[in-house]
Structures are given as structure tokens and as C-alpha cells.
Amino acid sequence: MTTIMVVTMIALLLLGFPMMIPLITAAVIGFYMMFNGFGQMDTLIQQMMAGIRPASLIAVPMFILAADIMTRGQSANRLIDMVMSFIGHIKGGLAVSTATSCTLFGAVSGSTQATVVAVGSPLRPKMLKAGYSDPFTLALIINASDIAFLIPPSIGMIIYGVISGTSIGELFIAGIGPGLLILLMFSIYCVIYAVVKDVPTEPRASWKERAVAVQKALWPLGFPVIIVGGIYGGIFSPTEAAAACVLYAVLLEFVVFRSLKMKDIYAIAKSTGLITAVVFILVAVGNGFSWIISFAQIPQMILEAVGVNEAGPTGVLIAICISFFVACMFVDPIVVILVLTPIFAPAIAATGLDPVLVGILITLQVAIGSATPPFGCDIFTAIAIFKRPYWEVIKGTPPFIFMLILAAALLIMFPQIALFLRDVAFR
């Protein structure tokens, strides 16, 4: 049965069907083979509906809506201008500013693809004009955007939290340390690249210009305060923080900045609705698929076959990292989280691993895979937005992928990178 389900999925993917079709087809085939027909098909449908029933998932469309409002408004550009005013003049400062802007916008949007668009669109032309090569620029944008998956809010963390029953608030706080670590690594590499390539520096901003840039960015900087401060202070749950972000985004862009008009609401709502529909369909179908493979005890068979159950905590973490990293090179990150998390759940429970640490490592791996050839989703977002060929987009990615893998290794060796802030906030 397992072989037939896997072959069916691969065949449909190769034929170009969207991911939801291979998943549901494989689930239906597995259901038919287990129950010798479709007499109890309502059970599978109930499992699919159960996948989108958790109240925590309400945060997903809200964060998507808030990000869409800010991307179309002025918030992203104000954050970028503030970062540029302080570090744009140092060697490699423009590249470091790009990475920092991706991190700040990640603290607002929670989406890697939204970050590619919001930060990459204004900063790529500036980097090219400053003398950076296009492969380096594109690789920096798509890989620095991965930090958005770690810095709260993170859609990936919400999905993992719902599937595994892990506290989303704890995941959000735990993602800050690894996100800042990756930003530091990227910044060091950017400075070294600029020195080696002798990239010219930007003009130094005056303190008056910096003060003006900070003043303009104060309102957008309220988003991470609402999310992190609200959850850390016990004022909001993650879902309530998402709702507060939407309200804040509406007030900011429609009332304070007046960058959007009432006529823009339809386009924003349509875009958010389409993205949300795709996400929720994937979650529903993924939950049905996960129920099938769990009912058939496929996870236990796979783990026993590869010897993960006897590997110990470190071995399980390494196996998780490799599996999620490779899977996200080919498949949508949300689907990978939905399918693989239940497979590793028995080994995680058996070894007593902290589910928050596991969640951060999984989120990091799907972020890496999102920007890794051959089919990382951020690669194709960059191709569509910047109109550049595939090989040019991926040419500069190896150094960044190496740094991201190094960050994962450091997390395995030093879990407190992720867990320190969690322990301070919740223990």
C-alpha cells in the first residue's frame, strides 16, 4: 500500500498537478485499500475537516491579511529606510541592510514569499547599482527572507504547533534567537563579500536624516511589539495578536499614512482569500493523508526500517533535519510539515525531545528547503518577481545554504540558542 501511495504521488507531481491533488489521491487510494472500498469514506472527510478546525489556525489568514496590507502600503519601505540610514554606509552595508530588512519585515509578515516581494523589489535595484552581482543579490534576498519563517509571527510555526499540539507562543519566542543568529552570519558574509569584491559604500546619512527615518519607522515597529510583547506579557494569545496586527495595519495604512484607499480593500481581500484558501486546502488534505498513514502504522514501519528509534535524541534530530530539508527542496513547506511531523512524532516522544526545539529545527529546515534547488518555492517567487532565469537565481545560493545548515548544526549542539528566551518567558 505504501509503495502504491508514494508512486501515485510522484507520478501526479511529475504530470504537473498542484500538490493538493497528489495528496488527496494517495489518501483516497490508501483508504480504499485499508477498508476494502469507500463505504466509510465519511471518516476520511471528517479527518480532513478536523485538520482545519483548530482555533489557532485563525491566526494564519489574519497574519496573511496584515502582511498584504503592509506590503501594499508604506510600512515595508519605512523599515528599509531606517535600516539603511544606520548601516548603509559601512562596507557591505547595503547587503547587510537587505538582510536586516528581511528580518524586520519577517517580524511583521511571517511569510518568506511576502518578504521576497516587499524587501527585494526596492532593494535589488539599489544593490545592482552599488556594484553587487545579480546572483549574489538574488541569493541574499531569497535566503534572508527565510529568516521570516523563524522570527515571529511564523505561519510555519503555527501549522507545526497545530499538528503537534505544541504551544505556538513558545515557538514564536524560541524562534527569535536562531533568527538573529542567522542574520549575524549573513551580515558577516556580506561584509566579507563586499571587501573581497571592493564594492563601493553608500553615502553616510546624517544624524538628522537618521532621526527622521526612525521617526517614520516608529509606527511600523509597533508590529513586533504587539506580537512579541503581547504574547510575552500574557496580554494576547497568538490568535489575538494576529487580530490586533490586522487592526493595527488597517489603522496605520488607511488612517495614519493614508497610503491606501477604500478601493484597495477588494484587491487586498481577494489576494488574502486566495492565499488562505490554498493554505487551508493543503492543511485539510494533509491532515487526511497524515491520518491514513498513521492508521496504517506507516510512520512506525519507516522509522524502524531506517533505525531512527534506536538513534537517540541527537540521531533523531539529525534525521528530522535531513528529511525536512530534502523534502522541502521538492514540495511546498506546509505540506512537508503536515506529512512528516506525524511520521517522526513517535520517535520524538520516545526520546523525550523538547517539542519546541524540534519545531524550531523543523521550521529552519523548511525555510532552507524553500530557497534550495531544484524546486524551492522562494526561488520561483524570485523568478516571477524579478524576471530572471532559473540558473541565475540559484547561482549564488550555496554559501547561504551552507550557513543555514551550520545554524541547524549549532542548534542541535547548543539547544539554548532557541530555548533560552522561551525559558525566560514561560518557565
Side-chain angles (χ1 to χ4, degrees):
M1 184 183 81
T2 305
T3 303
I4 295 174
M5 291 173 66
V6 171
V7 170
T8 301
M9 286 183 63
I10 294 174
L12 291 175
L13 281 173
L14 292 175
L15 288 172
F17 285 92
M19 192 63 219
M20 66 187 76
I21 302 300
L23 269 179
I24 191 61
T25 303
V28 169
I29 290 174
F31 186 92
Y32 180 86
M33 296 180 70
M34 278 197 306
F35 295 99
N36 298 316
F38 297 119
Q40 304 178 47
M41 192 65 181
D42 57 328
T43 304
L44 178 59
I45 295 172
Q46 289 171 2
Q47 292 299 321
M48 291 173 61
M49 295 304 296
I52 56 175
R53 194 171 292 136
S56 301
L57 285 176
I58 297 173
V60 173
M62 290 185 182
F63 280 128
I64 292 172
L65 177 58
D68 205 346
I69 293 171
M70 290 178 287
T71 302
R72 294 170 186 263
Q74 295 183 6
S75 295
N77 287 331
R78 288 176 178 238
L79 290 172
I80 292 170
D81 291 342
M82 182 192 70
V83 175
M84 283 288 298
S85 69
F86 281 92
I87 58 179
H89 64 280
I90 66 174
K91 201 69 172 177
L94 184 55
V96 176
S97 297
T98 301
T100 306
S101 298
C102 287
T103 303
L104 281 177
F105 193 75
V108 170
S109 70
S111 167
T112 61
Q113 290 163 294
T115 305
V116 169
V117 177
V119 178
S121 297
L123 283 183
R124 176 173 168 266
K126 292 183 179 181
M127 289 189 66
L128 295 178
K129 185 178 179 181
Y132 293 91
S133 70
D134 208 13
F136 171 84
T137 301
L138 292 168
L140 173 63
I141 291 169
I142 63 175
N143 283 280
S145 296
D146 290 343
I147 302 174
F149 234 49
L150 288 165
I151 297 290
S154 165
I155 293 173
M157 288 182 186
I158 295 172
I159 301 298
Y160 169 81
V162 169
I163 296 298
S164 65
T166 306
S167 166
I168 296 173
E170 291 190 24
L171 287 167
F172 277 4
I173 299 300
I176 296 174
L180 295 178
L181 172 65
I182 294 170
L183 172 61
L184 176 62
M185 295 168 71
F186 282 8
S187 299
I188 293 172
Y189 176 66
C190 288
V191 172
I192 294 172
Y193 177 93
V195 171
V196 172
K197 300 292 183 180
D198 195 25
V199 178
T201 58
E202 296 289 302
R204 181 190 293 268
S206 66
W207 282 106
K208 182 179 180 180
E209 291 171 328
R210 291 173 180 174
V212 171
V214 170
Q215 184 180 12
K216 289 183 177 180
L218 282 177
W219 286 106
L221 286 172
F223 286 101
V225 173
I226 291 173
I227 297 166
V228 178
I231 295 173
Y232 176 85
I235 302 171
F236 298 130
S237 69
T239 304
E240 292 166 343
C245 278
V246 172
L247 176 61
Y248 191 68
V250 169
L251 292 174
L252 215 57
E253 301 295 351
F254 284 89
V255 179
V256 179
F257 298 157
R258 298 184 180 180
S259 57
L260 298 175
K261 307 295 183 184
M262 292 299 295
K263 63 181 180 180
D264 297 315
I265 292 178
Y266 174 77
I268 293 171
K270 181 181 177 182
S271 173
T272 301
L274 289 172
I275 297 172
T276 302
V278 171
V279 170
F280 273 61
I281 290 172
L282 288 173
V283 170
V285 173
N287 195 70
F289 182 85
S290 299
W291 177 75
I292 290 291
I293 64 174
S294 297
F295 191 87
Q297 295 190 326
I298 293 173
Q300 289 83 347
M301 290 187 287
I302 293 175
L303 295 177
E304 288 176 8
V306 298
V308 171
N309 286 331
E310 292 77 35
T314 302
V316 171
L317 289 177
I318 293 173
I320 288 173
C321 288
I322 294 173
S323 301
F324 278 83
F325 172 68
V326 173
C328 282
M329 292 166 61
F330 300 93
V331 183
D332 185 273
I334 291 175
V335 174
V336 173
I337 294 172
L338 290 166
V339 173
L340 291 188
T341 300
I343 290 178
F344 283 99
I348 294 169
T351 52
L353 287 167
D354 190 321
V356 172
L357 175 63
V358 174
I360 297 304
L361 277 167
I362 287 175
T363 304
L364 175 56
Q365 295 309 311
V366 298
I368 300 172
S370 299
T372 303
F375 302 121
C377 62
D378 287 348
I379 293 173
F380 293 97
T381 301
I383 291 171
I385 297 299
F386 304 127
K387 305 293 190 296
R388 303 309 302 163
Y390 177 86
W391 292 109
E392 187 171 322
V393 172
I394 69 170
K395 184 179 179 181
T397 56
F400 293 99
I401 294 172
F402 171 79
M403 285 184 281
L404 288 166
I405 293 174
L406 176 59
L410 290 173
L411 270 176
I412 293 174
M413 291 187 290
F414 307 104
Q416 286 304 113
I417 294 174
L419 299 181
F420 174 74
L421 286 178
R422 189 282 308 266
D423 292 342
V424 171
F426 294 95
R427 294 291 186 270

